[in-house]
Amino acid sequence: MIKLVECPRDAMQGLPDFIDTAIKAAYINQLLEIGFDTVDFGSFVSPKAIPQMRDTEEVLSLLDLHKSKSKLLAIVANLRGAEDAFHFPEIDYLGFPLSVSETFQQRNTNASIAQALETVETIQNLCQTKGKEIVVYLSMGFGNPYGDPYSPELIAEFVKKLDDLEVKIISLSDTVGVADNKLIKELFQVQVDTFPEIEFGAHLHSRPESISDKVKAALEGGCKRFDGALKGFGGCPMAKDELVGNMDTEIMIDTLESQGYQLDLNKSELKEAVKLANYVFQSPL
């Protein structure tokens, strides 16, 4: 079964102009009508670091979860953020960005990889007592622009450490859109075969014309969990290419269905969400 994770948080977080809280909530409520497995709706991080997400708690209070089958995921970058998220029973998953690049880990969370791994262990222990689940994003999972060490073997080392902590969901993240199809397929294939008890996800950034091929490569490698954002909004500013954004959810859906997967999505609600996305992100229709 394919799991689709829609990421409005990732689409919004880098925008310089603050999106009104009511508009954020209305958009996320529309996404909750579609039938995604999970909606990555917000984050509990420093408002100085990510000012766009300073209203996550208020957005959460405005969400209508009664009829939605989607689960909620919030990003945290440290123990304090996790403790804040634990106050809300509506949140199912805590996402933590663990980088295989020392440079990016410092830039992203102001901590070393060793410190971040300790934080993952602490959050994982708390999740196990509080009925939540941690999702670890291995950022720079396909290479980095800093010259830091990278290899598929390094990814395997990180996955083994997370497996030892009983982390059950790991999303391999192409933070700057550098992954080629061969690496995507082979990286997933090795990890999925070696750690069958772990659910591996793909959080890939891409130019629009490459999305379909990257989805197929991940599928061939055994990936069954895909992150995306409608219209491909968002992405990492460090990609230094305005066309390298999140994987466009509509393209992903078309590709997955062309491969024979039935996704059980409400297509009429999806169309409404696309219309609303154009308004929220001020994109031309």
Side-chain angles (χ1 to χ4, degrees), residues 94-238:
L94 301 189
F96 186 89
L98 175 66
S99 184
V100 302
S101 158
E102 187 72 52
T103 302
F104 189 71
Q105 190 72 59
Q106 291 282 359
R107 291 188 179 193
N108 201 32
T109 65
N110 196 31
S112 68
I113 290 175
Q115 291 169 324
L117 279 166
E118 290 178 0
T119 301
V120 168
E121 182 174 9
T122 302
I123 294 174
Q124 166 68 337
N125 290 338
L126 288 169
C127 280
Q128 290 177 329
T129 64
K130 296 180 180 293
K132 299 190 187 300
E133 188 160 9
I134 190 171
V135 177
V136 175
Y137 291 85
L138 278 184
S139 63
M140 300 292 170
F142 296 84
N144 66 79
Y146 309 115
D148 289 339
Y150 174 81
S151 67
E153 292 75 21
L154 180 64
I155 299 300
E157 291 175 15
F158 272 79
V159 173
K160 178 62 170 66
K161 291 176 182 177
L162 295 172
D163 184 53
D164 289 343
L165 298 177
E166 299 183 352
V167 172
K168 296 302 181 187
I169 306 177
I170 300 173
S171 191
L172 304 180
S173 303
D174 184 15
T175 317
V176 288
V178 298
D180 61 40
N181 298 332
K182 182 174 182 290
L183 177 59
I184 291 171
K185 177 184 175 180
E186 292 178 353
L187 198 59
F188 277 106
Q189 202 162 43
V190 170
Q191 302 310 320
V192 169
D193 289 347
T194 307
F195 301 95
E197 70 280 9
I198 294 176
E199 178 181 315
F200 286 96
H203 185 99
L204 306 175
H205 292 169
S206 176
R207 294 175 65 92
E209 65 270 17
S210 303
I211 292 172
S212 185
D213 287 340
K214 290 187 177 185
V215 170
K216 291 175 184 176
L219 280 173
E220 290 172 5
C223 179
K224 295 292 190 290
R225 178 187 178 97
F226 292 86
D227 287 17
L230 289 182
K231 310 283 289 185
F233 291 126
C236 182
M238 284 171 292

